[in-house]
Amino acid sequence: MMGRLVFVLVCFMTLIRAAALQAATVTETVFSDDFERVTLLTGVNPLTLSPDWYFVRLDNGFTSEISNHTAETGTRSAYICCGERHLTTRDIDLSGTDNARLSYWFRYGEDGWPGTDNQGTYFESEDPSGNDHIYAYIYLNNGSWQQIAFYEAELAYSGQVRTYAADLPAAALHSQFKIRFYMSDGSGGFKHRDVYHIDNVLVTTEVSAGPDHFRLSYPSAALTCNASTVTITACNDALCTSQYTDPVTVNLTPSGWTGGDSVTFSGGTGTADLYHTSGGTVSLGVSSSTPSVSGTTLCSIDGGVHSTYCDLTFDDSGFIIDLPEPMTANQEASGVAVRAVKTDDTQQCVPAFAGVTKTLNLWQDYDSPNTGTRRITVNGADVGASESSATTQSLYFDSNGEAAVDVNYTDAGRMTLNLRYNGSGADAGLQMDGAAQFVSVPDGLCVSASATCTTGNASCPGFAEAGSSFSLLVTPKAWANDGTTDVCDNPINTPNYADTGLGLSSTLVVPSGGSIGSVAPISYNHAVGDTSVTISQSEVGVFRFTVTPP
């Protein structure tokens, strides 16, 4: 009993496997004619410009046509009669397939069958006799005709039906395959004699059945600077318990996929990269495929459950420039990081900006004051004075999407350094911007008067009376690598320096231990460029005056 049970189970499993193998292919029709129309020498499809059949009459008699004497299905079939002639199909393209099958229905005529042709002409079918045989041929790729069937004209066969169905040989699988029915002899005159009827000529091919549906898997984090990689899975069934591994071509939406929107893959899975160069949400999908599918595309985001929700949001990306704050005029900031990132600095633009050189546009803006004469330099080269006159530089971005640059500005003020990348090729349409606003300050303020005393002692000549007004000239100076702390000998001024509430103070040099008195005013506002400040000192002595920025 146990052995019998095992046998039954094995048979059942074999049947299931056989059914699964059969379901792996589908039958496609390449050529079909059931003759359910009026005229033989026209195409089955009304839009066909060429007929599906060609008729050549080699002797006298009637042509081949369609009549309603008999049929396998419907009410009409083609007939051939009355003498030597052949009826041949148009070219049937079987190139690109590895299999094809031909079938048709064939019936001998019989005396007394009534019917009419396409002209409405009444005649009776007749049984073939004598040498009025029919030969069926197929056209091979070497230019020859191969006989596939022979129908002998024999009265004993009157009215009998023959069906033909067979796989075509490899030599028939070419772009000019044809079928021909050749009648070797016959008699006609004013009567249809020796009649044969043909119906349901069919050429099919077996092709792999398509997938049930596609599944798209992708991460939720997407940036305009990066292509988002999407994995495409072709599923054999609704639960995707197995994959469809034959070649498949999918047409993806939206547009913007690297290499084009049409992707071909095999083995069950493939990948495609989508660029979306402007921020926003797009919906992913498969608009069509070859072979086609019946199921709905499903999506999984970040490894989650597959569903019909297939949206993907691309966040804007740009550049962050890590400039020191403040910068000192003419003191170059070396190795400043330029980082290609999501605009909120939470995600890097890699791999698009990893280990590559990108050409960027660079320009500056004067913020405060809003005019000037000097340029920011990046890597020793001036940037553009405006967006319209931006200069370009090629920057190398490392594996983290960062480039290092050297930045300098020899003047003072609030400035903005602007960067822009305009995509090309795969990321055409992408615009990434970056801007760093920074304040550049003088290295120091040189304070001078119309007369000074370098000895700084009691031998200094009189300059002004205590309590009287005199002027000090305050000149902002850029940094100089001269090894001294005296800014007054620095060669570069910073004419754009301006500030408010600068403190004024004095230090008594001589006499030692004397009264310092007071300076009036104790602060001033520094206008752009060199500024002359009128002050007074209440005490006598030799003093050193100091200006202190807020």
Side-chain angles (χ1 to χ4, degrees), residues 216-219 222-223 225-232 250 252-263 270-277 282 284 312 314 351-352 426-427:
L216 308 180
S217 302
Y218 51 88
L223 296 178
C225 61
N226 277 335
S228 185
T229 299
V230 177
T231 299
I232 312 161
V250 294
L252 300 170
T253 57
S255 61
W257 300 83
T258 302
D261 300 338
S262 179
V263 178
T271 59
D273 294 331
L274 174 63
Y275 264 108
H276 192 68
T277 55
V282 297
L284 309 188
L312 176 59
F314 283 82
D427 62 357

Side-chain angles (χ1 to χ4, degrees), residues 7-141:
F7 177 76
V8 172
L9 288 173
V10 170
C11 290
F12 181 64
M13 291 171 63
T14 302
L15 289 173
I16 291 176
R17 176 170 173 80
L21 290 175
Q22 292 173 359
T25 61
V26 293
T27 301
E28 287 189 355
T29 298
V30 183
F31 178 89
S32 175
D33 199 346
D34 61 5
F35 304 103
E36 294 297 318
R37 60 186 185 281
V38 175
T39 305
L40 176 64
L41 302 183
T42 57
V44 174
N45 185 338
L47 298 178
T48 302
L49 298 178
S50 304
D52 281 349
W53 296 88
Y54 294 91
F55 174 78
V56 176
R57 184 171 52 196
L58 302 176
D59 61 9
N60 296 322
F62 295 97
T63 64
S64 287
E65 259 304 340
I66 292 174
S67 74
N68 59 8
H69 290 86
T70 184
E72 180 186 26
T73 59
T75 60
R76 297 170 182 265
S77 62
Y79 69 85
I80 185 169
C81 72
C82 314
E84 184 181 7
R85 66 224 38 233
H86 53 73
L87 182 63
T88 308
T89 65
R90 59 170 170 81
D91 289 351
I92 302 171
D93 187 1
L94 297 180
S95 61
T97 183
D98 61 0
N99 71 89
R101 187 171 180 83
L102 168 63
S103 63
Y104 57 84
W105 180 87
F106 184 92
R107 189 172 191 181
Y108 288 86
E110 185 171 356
D111 293 351
W113 281 351
T116 57
D117 62 13
N118 64 307
Q119 300 296 324
T121 303
Y122 175 86
F123 68 92
E124 294 180 353
S125 180
E126 190 202 47
D127 47 10
S129 60
N131 293 319
D132 309 335
H133 313 304
I134 292 288
Y135 299 82
Y137 293 95
I138 57 174
Y139 187 65
L140 303 182
N141 58 10

Side-chain angles (χ1 to χ4, degrees), residues 339-515:
R339 297 183 287 124
V341 294
K342 180 180 174 181
T343 49
D344 66 0
D345 195 21
T346 59
Q347 188 179 347
Q348 297 170 324
C349 280
V350 294
F353 276 75
V356 295
T357 297
K358 299 285 189 179
T359 299
L360 274 64
N361 296 332
L362 300 90
W363 72 94
Q364 69 180 33
D365 292 321
Y366 293 103
D367 297 327
S368 180
N370 60 7
T371 186
T373 60
R374 298 184 189 172
R375 303 281 184 85
I376 300 170
T377 64
V378 174
N379 297 327
D382 288 352
V383 304
S386 64
E387 179 180 347
S388 62
S389 61
T391 60
T392 60
Q393 287 197 35
S394 296
L395 304 183
Y396 175 78
F397 290 83
D398 64 17
S399 59
N400 294 319
E402 296 184 5
V405 297
D406 299 331
V407 180
N408 194 17
Y409 183 56
T410 62
D411 206 343
R414 177 172 277 104
M415 300 289 293
T416 297
L417 172 61
N418 301 284
L419 306 179
R420 175 171 293 169
Y421 170 73
N422 291 312
S424 61
D427 62 357
L430 172 64
Q431 178 178 301
M432 290 175 59
D433 291 321
Q437 189 180 74
F438 64 93
V439 173
S440 178
V441 298
D443 184 44
L445 301 173
C446 176
V447 182
S448 61
S450 58
T452 58
C453 179
T454 58
T455 59
N457 55 35
S459 65
C460 290
F463 170 67
E465 292 181 357
S468 64
S469 298
F470 58 93
S471 296
L472 296 179
L473 183 65
V474 183
T475 304
K477 292 284 189 175
W479 179 83
N481 187 19
D482 57 5
T484 70
T485 59
D486 184 4
V487 298
C488 289
D489 62 358
N490 292 359
I492 301 175
N493 296 345
T494 58
N496 262 13
Y497 175 73
D499 211 341
T500 60
L502 282 74
L504 293 170
S505 61
S506 62
T507 303
L508 178 63
V509 178
V510 176
S512 177
S515 174

